[in-house]
Amino acid sequence: MAAAAPRVSPRFFRRAQAHGFCVPDIPADVRAKCVAGTSTRVLDGRFVADALVAQCGALVAQKKGQGGRVPKLVVVLAGEDPASAVYVGNKEKMFAKAGFESETLKIASCDTTLEGLLSVVGELNARADVDGILVQLPLPAGIPAHVVLAAIDPRKDVDGFLKENMGLLALGDFSGALPCTPFGIMVLLAAHGIPLESKRAVVVGRSNIVGKPMSLLLLGEDSTVTVAHSRTTDLAALTREADIVIAAAGRPLLLGKEHVKAGAVVVDVGMHRKSDGKLCGDVDATFETGVAGKASALTPVPGGVGPMTIAMLLVNTAAAAWSKPLS
Ligand code: GUN
C-alpha cells in the first residue's frame, strides 16, 4: 500500500506546523455530534483545544530533550473586571495542563497608571525567561490600551495585536503571531472539515481583536468575505446570503433563525451572562427561535470558540519560545 501523503496545513497554520503542531483529527463520533433533536452539528472546540494541549505536552517534552525551553507567558491583569478574571484563570489552567509556564501579575485599579503599566511591560520585554506577554483587555477606564500594547516587544506579542503582526496578516503573510480568537476559529473549522474556498462568509463585528483579523484569515482561505457592523442596514438580508456566519458583535442573542439560511455554518464568538445566570452567545441557539435545526453546524457556548482562543495562545507562546536561538 502506498504511504499516506503528509498532510499539508492550511496557510494560516504553517507557523504552528513549523514548530511541530498539526491541525487535530476529529474522530467520527465527535464529528457526528448534533445539537439535541436536530441535524445541526456541534463544532466542539473543547475537543480540538484538548488535542492541541496534548500536542503541547508532547512537544515540550521533545524540545526539552533537545535543549529547548519550556514556553512561558506572563499575563498582566489590571483592574477587577470579573469576566477578565475568569478568562485569565482559564488561561492559567490550560497552560499548566500543557506543561507550559505562566505567571499573572495582578494590579488593582487604584494602583493602575499608564506609566506603571509601561514600566511593567518594559521589564517583561527585558526578561529572557518570558516568551509571551499578554495585557488583558479591557484595561481600567482612562488607560489607553493602544499605548500599552504598542510598548510590547513584537516578538513577545502572543496576542498578535501589534502592527508588526497585524500588518503582516493584512498583507496576506501568515508568518507572524495571529490573533488567538480568529486563529482558533480557523483551526476549529479546519479540524471539523468545513470548506472555506469560494464560500460566502459574513463576519458580524469589526473589532481589531476578532472581526478584522477574522475577515483577513477567511480571505486567505479564498472565502468571499463581507464585514457587517453596528451601522450595517438590514443585517438579516446580508447574513442570510452567507454560507458561513461569524457572530462577533458582542451583543447577546443578536442573530436568530431569520438571520441564517438553511445549511449555514454558524460560529458564535459571544459569551454573555443572562439575568437567569445562564451563559449565552451572540446567537440564539434554540430550536424554536434560533439557528438549531436550520444551521448545518454551530459552535456551542460555552465549549466552542472560548477554549480554542486559549489553545491558540499556547501555540503562539510556543512559537515565540521556540523561534528564539537556544541559550
Ligand atoms: N480580552 C478579551 N479577549 C482578549 C484577548 O484575546 N486578548 C487580550 N489581551 N485581552 C482580551
Side-chain angles (χ1 to χ4, degrees):
M1 211 167 78
R7 267 175 59 183
V8 179
S9 287
R11 268 169 288 179
F12 64 85
F13 204 77
R14 298 271 165 86
R15 179 174 184 250
Q17 186 186 28
H19 293 289
F21 291 96
C22 60
V23 175
D25 273 327
I26 309 241
D29 60 322
V30 177
R31 203 179 262 253
K33 204 166 73 183
C34 287
V35 178
T38 76
S39 59
T40 300
R41 278 174 51 201
V42 176
L43 299 177
D44 187 333
R46 223 165 250 151
F47 182 92
V48 181
D50 283 347
L52 286 165
V53 167
Q55 289 183 28
C56 286
L59 286 170
V60 94
Q62 181 191 324
K63 303 273 175 185
K64 268 205 285 197
Q66 299 163 351
R69 49 191 297 119
V70 176
K72 176 166 185 163
L73 173 75
V74 176
V75 177
V76 180
L77 177 58
E80 292 80 27
D81 182 68
S84 290
V86 173
Y87 294 144
V88 170
N90 289 340
K91 283 171 194 163
E92 284 171 349
K93 279 186 212 141
M94 215 188 269
F95 268 68
K97 229 165 119 184
F100 286 12
E101 289 178 14
S102 78
E103 199 178 298
T104 301
L105 299 179
K106 292 190 179 148
I107 309 170
S109 281
C110 56
D111 295 331
T112 304
T113 61
L114 176 59
E115 294 69 30
L117 281 179
L118 291 177
S119 148
V120 166
V121 168
E123 281 165 27
L124 295 174
N125 283 341
R127 265 174 62 181
D129 66 318
V130 176
D131 302 301
I133 302 169
L134 184 143
V135 176
Q136 184 68 29
L137 303 177
L139 289 173
I143 307 282
H146 66 284
V147 178
V148 179
L149 293 178
I152 296 173
D153 180 335
R155 290 167 300 186
K156 298 191 179 190
D157 170 31
V158 284
D159 261 328
F161 289 171
L162 299 196
K163 62 181 188 300
E164 289 80 357
N165 286 313
M166 198 74 109
L168 286 174
L169 175 58
L171 293 172
D173 179 331
F174 302 92
S175 63
L178 300 172
C180 298
T181 298
F183 187 15
I185 292 169
M186 296 301 283
V187 176
L188 184 63
L189 295 174
H192 282 274
I194 306 290
L196 299 175
E197 185 182 334
S198 305
K199 299 295 180 191
R200 299 184 71 169
V202 173
V203 179
V204 185
R206 56 176 156 179
S207 70
N208 289 337
I209 296 181
V210 185
K212 265 183 225 164
M214 186 78 243
S215 66
L216 294 166
L217 283 163
L218 288 164
L219 269 180
E221 292 304 306
D222 300 318
S223 296
T224 300
V225 183
T226 304
V227 181
H229 47 76
S230 52
R231 302 286 173 90
T232 295
T233 54
D234 203 349
L235 177 64
L238 204 63
T239 52
R240 270 201 306 268
E241 297 275 303
D243 303 302
I244 295 148
V245 177
I246 312 283
R251 288 183 48 193
L253 308 177
L254 174 68
L255 304 183
K257 201 189 280 287
E258 70 281 14
H259 289 87
V260 300
K261 72 173 178 187
V265 171
V266 180
V267 174
D268 193 350
V269 181
M271 170 82 88
H272 314 280
R273 179 109 20 220
K274 293 190 288 185
S275 51
D276 63 5
K278 293 196 179 130
L279 291 174
C280 73
D282 285 6
V283 177
D284 177 348
T286 64
F287 177 76
E288 294 74 23
T289 53
V291 306
K294 192 171 186 190
S296 63
L298 172 66
T299 58
V301 176
V305 173
M308 288 307 301
T309 297
I310 308 181
M312 302 336 286
L313 184 62
L314 285 169
V315 171
N316 282 349
T317 307
W322 297 334
S323 299
K324 285 182 188 169
L326 293 182
S327 47

